[in-house]
Amino acid sequence: MAAIKAKDQPPGGDTFASRAKRVIRKIPRGKVATYGQIAALAGNHRAARQVVRILHSSSDKDRLPWHRVINSKGGISLARGQGYELQRAMLRQEGIRFQDNDLIDLDRFQWVPRRIRI
DNA sequence: AACCTGACTTCGG
DNA sequence: TCCGAAGCCAGGT
């Protein structure tokens, strides 16, 4: 029996990556979440850059709604010609509006997962 | 084992 | 309000 390397842990495990993916999958249509927000919900508020890595490595493979992830300013981080246009189109298609400054109004479109009810 | 890198974020001037 | 610097994390080289 070959030992399971820490590297290939089963999906749905309890690694930051698996949790982050689950969080991303929960972002509803018509809403967006920031990298930092995902990181925080996945358990590490300082791992925004990890979220980026995850999107790079598995957004396609795991069919993640990668387009719903944007930066803290409410903007698309992908460069023009490098996915920017596609992401913007996909978001608009879900009803998300871009302001004149090309940013999304987070107060309106940011996903706010319900947790505690006061 | 250093060093580099990235679809980030925060903070100070 | 805008911009640069610094902080952060982990996978790849």
Side-chain angles (χ1 to χ4, degrees), chain A residues 16 20 24 35-36 38-39 47-56 69:
Chain A
F16 173 79
I24 294 172
Y35 300 93
I38 304 248
R49 312 195 77 144
Q50 280 22 269
V51 174
V52 169
R53 190 178 304 298
I54 292 167
L55 288 177
H56 266 297
V69 186

Side-chain angles (χ1 to χ4, degrees), chain A residues 74-104:
Chain A
I76 290 177
S77 290
L78 286 169
R80 316 261 167 172
Q82 296 281 357
Y84 177 93
E85 293 81 359
L86 174 62
Q87 181 168 18
R88 176 162 175 141
M90 291 178 82
L91 289 175
R92 297 196 60 161
Q93 196 158 17
E94 294 190 349
I96 289 175
R97 311 267 285 279
F98 283 78
Q99 303 169 125
D100 295 331
N101 56 8
D102 288 328
L103 297 182
I104 293 170

Side-chain angles (χ1 to χ4, degrees), chain A residues 5-50:
Chain A
K5 299 170 188 168
K7 230 184 159 184
D8 36 48
Q9 290 189 11
D14 200 27
T15 62
F16 173 79
S18 63
R19 289 196 300 277
K21 288 182 197 173
R22 280 186 300 227
V23 172
I24 294 172
R25 259 192 282 271
K26 289 175 62 176
I27 306 173
R29 265 181 62 89
K31 288 291 179 180
V32 295
T34 69
Y35 300 93
Q37 177 184 4
I38 304 248
L41 290 173
N44 185 345
H45 69 70
R46 293 185 283 195
R49 312 195 77 144
Q50 280 22 269

